């Protein structure tokens, strides 16, 4: 109980009511619960306590039962397989780390073998790194007729991995928003490099303040920016320098769609598809609106503004609007990756993105 009280941040304290009898007479453990609010403490029945706890606090109480059960099993000296399914769900960060401390206690007990299941990517990363799981971590990928275990990834800084593989078109493209974020923090949103990279995340037909339109941006333009802000050598990137970035993005997206096996894990696949989906959707809408006074003067939230200016009084207009709304909702989180936001991208289905990409490509 002392360890539980010290590790968990909850509005109650646990006490053993019959400690001497448990030790001397081997009687069943009886717990008292002391509810804390400000400076006031009051002993309450468990049932009443549960009625005023959040889901996370109730789960902490449930874990207390598990801990006592595991302690009893440990004293038996038998071997056990312990399976924990989403044990950190509903917890705040402080209590997640308390659970990880307990997991560390369990894996150091020789009679216990532990399997941890979670949908929480942040918890997965924390457990994998803090418990030093090495090769004992996997992503479970569900297909129509099977579940496949893929080697677990992204427990460390993904951007350092990308920097070493920047010559791959997928990673070269996926790094656009990350480098754009760096420029924003250093130089601000008015910087020319920031605005040029923005023109690869939104389709721009107009050259403004000597910033190239989207269709004119070349691979060499990005190499210069990456070299400047990410200290990458020009010689490190062998992608054809005079190739248009728009062509590279669409070709890479098409190559991903044609891959024989859908990889549900790779971040770069999802980011490239999301960028391509948005660009194709905006090109489609700009052509349909066909009014440069509108499309050339959108400064913020371009995809949404284009949808708002569309006339859907056409054949299949309702279906087209639904597809474009999907683009607005689903692509932004995937494009704007940063070190704190892996989880939305990991959770996104590649099959869904491929279907959405095909829908956008087929719009007439």
């Amino acid at each position: 109980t002392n360890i539980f009280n010290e590790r968990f941040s909850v509005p109650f304290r646990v006490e053993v009511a019959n400690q001497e009898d448990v030790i001397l007479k081997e009687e069943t453990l009886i717990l008292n619960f002391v509810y804390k609010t400000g400076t006031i403490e009051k002993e309450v029945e468990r049932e009443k306590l549960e009625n005023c706890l959040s889901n996370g606090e109730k789960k902490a109480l449930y874990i207390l039962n598990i801990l006592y059960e595991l302690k009893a099993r440990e004293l038996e000296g038998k071997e056990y397989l312990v399976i924990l399914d989403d044990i950190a769900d509903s917890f705040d960060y402080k209590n997640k780390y308390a659970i990880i401390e307990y997991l560390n206690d369990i894996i150091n007990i020789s009679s216990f073998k532990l399997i941890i299941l979670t949908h929480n990517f942040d918890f997965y990363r924390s457990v994998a790194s803090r418990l030093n799981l090495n090769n004992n971590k996997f992503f479970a990928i569900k297909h129509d007729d099977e579940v496949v275990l893929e080697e677990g990834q992204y427990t460390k800084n993904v951007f350092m991995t990308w920097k070493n593989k920047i010559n791959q078109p997928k990673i070269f493209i996926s790094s656009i928003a990350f480098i754009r974020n760096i420029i924003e923090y250093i130089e601000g949103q008015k910087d020319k490099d920031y605005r040029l990279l923005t023109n690869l995340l939104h389709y721009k037909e107009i050259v403004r303040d000597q910033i190239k339109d989207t269709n004119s941006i070349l691979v060499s333009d990005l190499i210069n920016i990456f070299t400047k802000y990410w200290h990458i050598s020009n010689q490190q990137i062998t992608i054809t320098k005079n190739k248009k970035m728009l062509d590279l993005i669409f070709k890479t997206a098409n190559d991903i769609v044609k891959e024989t096996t859908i990889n549900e894990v790779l971040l770069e696949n999802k980011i490239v598809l999301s960028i391509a989906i948005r660009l194709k959707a905006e090109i489609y809408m700009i052509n349909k609106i066909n009014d440069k006074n509108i499309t050339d003067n959108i400064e913020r939230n371009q995809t949404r503004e284009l949808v708002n200016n569309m006339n859907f009084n056409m054949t299949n207009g309702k279906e087209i609007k639904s597809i474009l709304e999907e683009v607005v909702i689903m692509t932004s989180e995937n494009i704007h990756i940063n070190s704190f936001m892996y989880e939305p991208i990991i959770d996104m289905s590649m099959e869904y993105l491929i279907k959405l990409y095909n829908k956008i490509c087929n719009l007439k």
Side-chain angles (χ1 to χ4, degrees):
T1 55
N2 289 339
I3 296 175
F4 177 88
N5 291 332
E6 290 172 1
R7 288 183 178 177
F8 276 97
S9 177
V10 289
F12 62 89
R13 186 176 72 255
V14 183
E15 298 175 345
V16 178
N18 60 336
Q19 185 168 330
E20 290 185 4
D21 291 336
V22 171
I23 296 173
L24 300 176
K25 302 178 184 179
E26 297 184 355
E27 291 189 0
T28 302
L29 185 73
I30 299 175
L31 297 177
N32 285 341
F33 299 94
V34 179
Y35 188 80
K36 301 175 292 183
T37 175
T39 58
I40 301 173
E41 295 188 353
K42 183 178 181 180
E43 189 173 311
V44 294
E45 296 176 0
R46 177 167 181 151
E47 184 177 342
K48 290 183 178 179
L49 175 67
E50 289 181 349
N51 289 335
C52 61
L53 296 179
S54 68
N55 288 335
E57 291 163 352
K58 288 177 183 177
K59 199 150 192 176
L61 190 57
Y62 169 69
I63 287 173
L64 179 63
N65 295 336
I66 296 176
L67 297 174
Y68 278 114
E69 182 69 22
L70 290 176
K71 191 63 180 178
R73 303 285 180 173
E74 180 188 354
L75 295 174
E76 291 179 5
K78 298 179 181 178
E79 291 190 346
Y80 285 95
L81 175 63
V82 181
I83 301 176
L84 301 173
D85 186 8
D86 266 334
I87 193 169
D89 190 42
S90 301
F91 277 128
D92 58 26
Y93 279 98
K94 185 178 186 303
N95 287 328
K96 281 182 183 178
Y97 293 128
I99 290 174
I100 293 173
E101 286 187 73
Y102 278 123
L103 295 177
N104 188 54
D105 294 343
I106 295 171
I107 64 174
N108 286 312
I109 299 171
S110 60
S111 57
F112 288 158
K113 297 294 182 288
L114 189 60
I115 295 177
I116 305 168
L117 307 175
T118 182
H119 288 91
N120 187 306
F121 186 69
D122 177 71
F123 185 66
Y124 153 79
R125 289 183 69 201
S126 298
V127 169
S129 60
R130 290 170 181 260
L131 300 187
N132 194 26
L133 298 185
N134 297 321
N135 296 324
N136 297 317
K137 53 188 183 295
F138 303 92
F139 288 162
I141 310 300
K142 184 178 180 182
H143 298 292
D144 290 339
D145 56 353
E146 63 179 348
V147 175
V148 177
L149 294 181
E150 300 276 358
E151 181 182 355
Q153 299 183 46
Y154 308 121
T155 56
K156 297 182 180 179
N157 190 332
V158 66
F159 304 111
M160 290 307 297
T161 302
W162 280 6
K163 187 174 182 179
N164 295 327
K165 298 179 178 180
I166 195 65
N167 197 46
Q168 298 178 17
K170 291 179 186 179
I171 293 175
F172 186 75
I173 296 165
S174 297
S175 300
I176 292 171
F178 172 64
I179 298 300
R180 178 173 171 269
N181 285 341
I182 292 176
I183 298 170
E184 181 180 11
Y185 299 146
I186 297 173
E187 307 292 350
Q189 294 185 359
K190 293 182 180 180
D191 181 82
K192 288 186 176 181
D193 291 335
Y194 175 90
R195 292 168 63 192
L196 184 136
L197 294 183
T198 300
N199 287 1
L200 285 173
L201 303 179
H202 290 288
Y203 189 78
K204 299 290 186 180
E205 289 187 316
I206 184 173
V207 177
R208 182 172 290 163
D209 299 329
Q210 298 182 323
I211 309 297
K212 288 184 176 183
D213 63 283
T214 303
N215 198 45
S216 300
I217 298 173
L218 305 177
V219 169
S220 58
D221 295 316
L222 264 69
I223 291 176
N224 292 335
I225 294 174
F226 285 12
T227 301
K228 181 178 178 181
Y229 290 98
W230 215 0
H231 302 293
I232 291 173
S233 167
N234 275 310
Q235 288 72 38
Q236 189 176 342
I237 304 174
T238 59
I239 302 170
T240 306
K241 292 179 172 55
N242 62 356
K243 188 178 185 66
K244 289 185 178 181
M245 277 301 304
L246 196 64
D247 293 341
L248 180 65
I249 290 169
F250 291 152
K251 180 185 183 304
T252 305
N254 289 335
D255 289 343
I256 291 170
V257 170
K258 292 174 184 176
E259 290 177 358
T260 54
T261 302
I262 295 176
N263 192 318
E264 288 284 357
V265 175
L266 290 181
L267 289 172
E268 52 264 34
N269 283 7
K270 299 179 182 182
I271 296 170
V272 169
L273 274 185
S274 297
I275 292 174
I277 287 168
R278 181 196 271 178
L279 288 171
K280 280 187 174 290
E282 291 190 353
I283 291 170
Y284 169 81
M285 288 188 284
I286 288 169
N287 289 335
K288 285 294 182 182
I289 294 170
N290 194 27
D291 187 341
K292 286 187 171 293
N293 289 325
I294 294 174
T295 57
D296 285 351
N297 291 296
I298 297 175
E299 295 185 359
R300 297 178 61 84
N301 301 320
Q302 176 163 303
T303 318
R304 168 56 67 189
E305 288 300 316
L306 289 172
V307 172
N308 291 342
N309 281 281
M310 281 285 291
N311 180 359
F312 292 104
N313 294 324
M314 61 180 90
T315 305
N316 298 328
K318 187 175 181 180
E319 179 184 349
I320 292 171
K321 182 180 181 181
S322 176
I323 293 171
L324 295 174
E325 290 284 357
E326 286 183 69
V327 174
V328 173
I329 293 169
M330 302 311 302
T331 58
S332 180
E333 285 186 337
N334 290 358
I335 291 170
H336 297 293
I337 181 174
N338 59 55
S339 57
F340 305 104
M341 211 184 70
Y342 293 10
E343 191 163 359
I345 309 176
I346 292 291
D347 286 345
M348 170 62 68
S349 164
M350 263 300 288
E351 291 188 20
Y352 174 85
L353 283 174
I354 290 171
K355 288 178 181 177
L356 183 55
Y357 180 74
N358 287 331
K359 288 179 185 177
I360 290 296
C361 289
N362 290 328
L363 286 180
K364 303 294 184 183

